[in-house]
Amino acid sequence: MTVSESPPTLVSLLPSARELAQALALLQEREALSLPLIDARATATLLDACERLTYRAARPLVGPAGQEVRQDFELSMDIGPDDPIRQLAAALTVLTTEARALLPQDPVPEGLVFNDLIVQRYVAGSAGITPHRDHLRYRGIVVLVTLLGRSELLLCDDRAGSNPRGFPMAPGVATLMLAPGYGGGNRRPFHCVAKLSEPRVSLGLRHDTRPAS
């Protein structure tokens, strides 16, 4: 199947290619933005799929000295080939390809396939994850889809969390964030999720340039 073909999916996406193209045009100047991605039915389907996964606790402290990142959530990457989560990733890959074709200049000319998927599950009162940057291997766009819980993605200037800017995250909403290579740039924003007052389940979709490693 080529990316121009629409994959069979239980998960339909809310934005049209033109609406997503408008969001992608804004992304370069804003670094991140939030927009409705899936309806309540698709959100429930994906949340049910997440409940069937096997989770492990994230390592509470990662990174070298002076660059430590604290984490307080469970995660799963054991997502089967026919899982609705993979169907979402395939549908979003197709829609993003169509949206990029509508722009005067493709911001990700090397291509974009959401081939790295992770589910993160937080309990109420979780400390979340402290300011960090995604790995350089992730390129183009990072998409975070909220299935349960309301919170904010905070972009900041450094690991200390300076100058935080909030982007709303709510069920059915996708938060898009720049990754290296977007628009020919190399921006990799510091970001965090903190002070969660209610349970949260989210999907992370990324284009991994080294998926086999």
Side-chain angles (χ1 to χ4, degrees):
M1 182 183 69
T2 65
V3 294
S4 62
E5 297 173 344
S6 296
T9 179
L10 299 174
V11 181
S12 59
L13 304 182
L14 291 177
S16 66
R18 188 166 300 279
E19 289 169 330
L20 183 57
Q22 292 171 348
L24 295 180
L26 292 172
L27 183 59
Q28 191 159 349
E29 60 186 70
R30 297 188 180 180
E31 292 193 307
L33 56 83
S34 298
L35 75 164
L37 183 71
I38 51 177
D39 62 17
R41 183 175 181 178
T43 300
T45 295
L46 290 162
L47 188 58
D48 182 65
C50 291
E51 290 175 352
R52 296 194 297 268
L53 299 176
T54 300
Y55 291 83
R56 64 175 175 83
R59 291 168 57 191
L61 189 67
V62 296
Q67 299 181 30
E68 299 94 343
V69 178
R70 298 186 182 279
Q71 305 181 123
D72 184 15
F73 56 84
E74 296 179 319
L75 64 93
S76 180
M77 300 179 72
D78 186 19
I79 300 166
D82 298 323
D83 193 290
I85 297 167
R86 290 210 180 272
Q87 295 179 13
L88 171 68
L92 187 57
T93 294
V94 171
L95 182 62
T96 304
T97 300
E98 294 172 349
R100 287 163 39 218
L102 296 175
L103 295 172
Q105 184 172 354
D106 187 349
V108 195
E110 66 269 30
L112 184 71
V113 177
F114 293 107
N115 59 357
D116 183 278
L117 312 178
I118 183 171
V119 180
Q120 291 175 220
R121 187 167 68 177
Y122 305 77
V123 300
S126 166
I129 181 168
T130 58
H132 65 286
R133 294 188 293 184
D134 280 4
H135 199 283
L136 282 166
R137 66 196 287 180
Y138 300 125
R139 307 287 293 180
I141 307 168
V142 171
V143 180
L144 306 175
V145 184
T146 299
L147 302 180
L148 179 70
R150 294 179 180 272
S151 55
E152 281 190 322
L153 176 75
L154 296 175
L155 264 60
C156 42
D157 292 344
D158 50 38
R159 293 187 191 280
S162 304
N163 188 29
R165 288 91 68 193
F167 298 86
M169 298 190 292
V173 171
T175 304
L176 280 57
M177 185 173 64
L178 286 182
Y182 193 89
N186 197 39
R187 283 184 285 178
R188 198 161 50 113
F190 283 98
H191 57 284
C192 66
V193 179
K195 298 180 180 178
L196 293 162
S197 61
E198 54 188 279
R200 168 172 165 76
V201 177
S202 66
L203 310 178
L205 294 81
R206 295 171 172 84
H207 174 60
D208 188 346
T209 56
R210 295 183 291 154
S213 61

